[in-house]
Amino acid sequence: MNAAAALPIRLTQLSSGGGCGCKIAPGVLTELLAATPIRVLPADLLVGKESSDDAAVYRLNDSQALIATTDFFTPIVDDPYDFGRIAATNALSDIYAMGGRPFMALAVVGMPLDKLPLEVIGKILAGGESVCAEAGIPIAGGHSIDVLEPIYGLVALGLVHPDRVKRNDSAQAGDVLILGKPLGVGILSAALKKGALSAAGYAQMIAATTRLNTPGIALAELPGVHAMTDITGFGLAGHLLEICRGSRLGAQLRYADLPFIEEALQWAKQGTVTGASERNWAGYGKEIRLPAGMPEWQRALLTDPQTSGGLLVACAAEVEAQVLAEFGKQGFDAACRVGRMVAGQGVSVE
């Protein structure tokens, strides 16, 4: 029996996209933002939209800066409780990626009330509440509307010392790249939507997408950690490109070193791919240099949209062991070195 067979309502059938795969394509987003002028910014706005970073950061005083972010999406799984858990974990990830600690959240809820029983909606909210309880924060309020497709997420607020904010545009040449979670969530979600994902594959997917990126708090304390981001809808290649562009550097990825969710590899080899993966490639593929003869399914894994994906850390080589130890201490067993930052532009895959 597949992972969704026993569910009377399939949430993934109520939406055209799912998870971070329903993000606006990177090329379209770039065009939209380019048309929006950046006006005079207050000096205390440490991070705004100019760097395509994970969250906005505003200095409150000499020892505190406020991190503010929002993230929401349509269902990536059919189980309502799991959908709530994944969406909340994903939203809080932006706080951890900036090196901060969350302290409060607000719920963003859009539900088709004519299609979903209140009991199902309640389970989605309970899933989000459970993750926030794990993070030690309250959901203190929010906003809800009646819409055509189910949407859930959070406005997340956190705090960080102004000197410890970890941006995505401050990597240095020679930095080691460390990835905290395995890749392949988008491909697993595509298999799930077809009703073909195994129970074991579903368990692997849930384990990855509901693990809070808490190592970001401790990594912000390490002077040798220069940049961080989390891998979400634009895939590993897309979010690494954001680091490259902002830092005015290039990057080299070692494909053989990349960690993947086991069942995602099997589906990728069979040609399972998301529409978002193809949109990602169309949006930024010209900046990616692939080795000759790379199979199409391997390329698709580089652009596969990750929902609640892992932290990508650019750090000095001398603190690599400390970074990996911190990931390991918090249960991120798949964390590993995947490449390095170099002079130049774009991403080269070896």
Side-chain angles (χ1 to χ4, degrees):
M1 185 173 67
N2 66 57
L7 294 170
I9 294 177
R10 295 197 61 189
L11 293 178
T12 56
Q13 299 304 309
L14 298 179
S15 61
S16 54
C20 289
C22 61
K23 270 186 165 183
I24 292 176
V28 177
L29 183 60
T30 298
E31 185 176 344
L32 287 172
L33 293 177
T36 306
I38 297 178
R39 305 189 188 281
V40 177
L41 302 176
D44 286 324
L45 183 63
L46 303 182
V47 182
K49 67 178 183 179
E50 72 285 344
S51 63
S52 301
D53 223 315
D54 297 296
V57 183
Y58 192 92
R59 178 168 43 215
L60 301 176
N61 51 54
D62 289 344
S63 61
Q64 291 179 312
L66 175 70
I67 306 174
T69 182
T70 184
D71 215 315
F72 52 87
F73 45 62
T74 54
I76 186 175
V77 294
D78 293 311
D79 184 277
Y81 188 76
D82 284 344
F83 171 40
R85 294 170 66 206
I86 294 168
T89 305
N90 180 74
L92 293 178
S93 183
D94 287 341
I95 302 293
Y96 298 122
M98 303 300 295
R101 184 184 299 274
F103 69 85
M104 186 176 73
L106 305 174
V108 178
V109 183
M111 295 292 156
L113 297 180
D114 61 334
K115 298 176 183 176
L116 288 181
L118 295 181
E119 178 186 2
V120 171
I121 298 172
K123 289 179 180 178
I124 295 172
L125 303 184
E129 288 272 7
S130 73
V131 165
C132 288
E134 181 184 347
I137 68 170
I139 295 182
H143 186 64
S144 60
I145 57 173
D146 188 354
V147 291
L148 297 177
E149 297 185 359
I151 297 169
Y152 179 69
L154 300 176
V155 173
L157 302 174
L159 290 172
V160 66
H161 193 287
D163 296 338
R164 295 175 189 146
V165 175
K166 297 303 175 184
R167 302 169 58 106
N168 70 356
D169 61 356
S170 51
Q172 299 181 16
D175 276 354
V176 170
L177 291 169
I178 295 175
L179 180 60
K181 289 184 184 182
L183 303 166
V185 168
I187 287 173
L188 293 181
S189 71
L192 176 68
K193 196 158 188 176
K194 293 189 296 185
L197 186 64
S198 73
Y202 184 78
Q204 293 169 354
M205 178 179 173
I206 296 301
T209 54
T210 60
R211 182 178 292 278
L212 289 164
N213 278 321
T214 50
I217 300 172
L219 296 180
E221 304 283 339
L222 295 177
V225 172
H226 299 136
M228 279 200 298
T229 191
D230 61 339
I231 307 303
T232 55
F234 298 154
L236 172 63
H239 290 286
L240 178 53
L241 272 173
E242 289 181 335
I243 291 179
C244 291
R245 293 166 184 157
S247 305
R248 298 183 180 181
L249 292 170
Q252 292 179 343
L253 278 179
R254 281 186 49 83
Y255 196 91
D257 293 340
L258 297 179
F260 294 106
I261 299 173
E262 183 179 351
E263 189 159 327
L265 283 176
Q266 299 171 21
W267 286 108
K269 290 176 183 177
Q270 295 175 34
T272 298
V273 66
T274 67
S277 177
E278 297 308 299
R279 290 195 299 272
N280 284 340
W281 181 252
Y284 58 67
K286 61 182 179 296
E287 298 179 70
I288 310 294
R289 297 180 295 279
L290 302 176
M294 171 177 272
E296 184 66 17
W297 66 267
Q298 289 187 340
R299 194 277 299 161
L301 284 165
L302 291 173
T303 57
D304 186 50
Q306 303 304 288
T307 299
S308 191
L311 294 177
L312 181 62
V313 182
C315 67
E318 54 265 28
V319 299
E320 175 185 356
Q322 290 175 268
V323 171
L324 289 172
E326 189 58 46
F327 275 117
K329 184 168 66 177
Q330 298 195 40
F332 288 74
D333 298 332
C336 61
R337 176 177 178 170
V338 297
R340 62 193 181 100
M341 301 299 298
V342 296
Q345 295 179 326
V347 175
S348 175
V349 183
E350 301 173 349

